[in-house]
Amino acid sequence: MAEFTVYDETDAPEQARPHLEAAKKRMGFVTTLNGVMAESPELLAGYNTLSELFGRSSLPRDAKHVVWITASVLNGCEYCVAAHSTLALRQRVPAGVVDALRAGHALDDPALEAARRFTGAMVTRRGWVDDEEIEAFLDAGYTRRHVLDIVLGIGMKTLSNYTNHIAHTPLDPAWKEQEWTAPGPDLT
């Protein structure tokens, strides 16, 4: 197994240190994900920039959490499911919503379910969704901008999910309570 170093703001490559310091200010600690990404300062900068941009996107707050968790579940990223479950619960996303997302189950809220279904279709079909799926998402009250915001969120999760797969990123203690195990290698 290839071993990846988990850096912090004191021992990371010089170009990565400002990004780790900013992450520490934002989160209160340097996540092991950011520590692994620091090996490539460009990946770290790209991920953190996408994260910031998606956070500012036009999607409603709870729909953003739906995108993060749904993409991570479908990609089998144990680290990201635990992290985003914790963050969703801290932002008062209902526990029933988080539990359903982690299990890949339908949501009772029609708007959030539309976001879950559309995100799931985008991830499993690698963006090749048909017009009917886009229309169903729009009919749930979303806009074309929201369609593209979901593309941004999935892009962000692809960077972190794939990094965690190859690096076997250790779970941060902050996410431990929401630890999650992928059901298997074929999640589609």
Side-chain angles (χ1 to χ4, degrees):
M1 175 172 78
E3 300 234 359
F4 287 82
T5 301
V6 180
Y7 293 100
D8 66 27
E9 69 279 13
T10 65
D11 64 356
E14 194 64 39
Q15 290 178 307
R17 290 181 186 187
H19 300 289
L20 293 178
E21 289 167 1
K24 186 174 183 175
K25 285 180 187 171
R26 187 174 59 252
M27 296 292 295
F29 65 100
V30 173
T31 66
T32 52
L33 170 62
N34 275 208
V36 167
M37 286 182 165
E39 185 77 35
S40 169
E42 295 78 13
L43 174 62
L44 177 60
Y47 176 75
N48 286 336
T49 298
L50 290 179
S51 177
E52 180 183 329
L53 292 170
F54 186 65
R56 293 193 325 235
S57 76
S58 67
L59 275 174
R61 184 202 68 191
D62 287 3
K64 290 173 187 164
H65 289 289
V66 168
V67 172
W68 284 320
I69 297 171
T70 300
S72 297
V73 164
L74 290 172
N75 285 326
C77 185
E78 296 175 352
Y79 180 97
C80 284
V81 172
H84 286 293
S85 296
T86 302
L87 296 171
L89 291 168
R90 286 182 186 168
Q91 291 193 354
R92 295 187 172 80
V93 174
V97 169
V98 174
D99 290 344
L101 291 169
R102 291 164 58 93
H105 295 154
L107 302 175
D108 292 334
D109 181 297
L112 294 180
E113 174 59 9
R116 185 191 74 83
R117 290 179 61 84
F118 187 72
T119 301
M122 289 288 292
V123 171
T124 59
R125 296 191 197 130
R126 296 179 188 95
W128 294 106
V129 296
D130 57 35
D131 289 342
E132 290 79 23
E133 289 168 306
I134 295 171
E135 289 304 321
F137 181 68
L138 297 174
D139 288 347
Y142 292 101
T143 66
R144 283 171 179 73
R145 180 177 176 179
H146 292 134
V147 169
L148 298 175
D149 287 343
I150 287 179
V151 172
L152 174 63
I154 292 169
M156 173 200 160
K157 285 294 82 196
T158 301
L159 294 177
S160 60
N161 294 169
Y162 288 15
T163 298
N164 290 323
H165 292 334
I166 62 172
H168 305 280
T169 308
L171 191 63
D172 292 290
W175 318 140
K176 189 73 173 158
E177 212 173 287
Q178 291 300 315
E179 190 168 9
W180 179 83
T181 302
D186 182 15
L187 300 170
T188 56

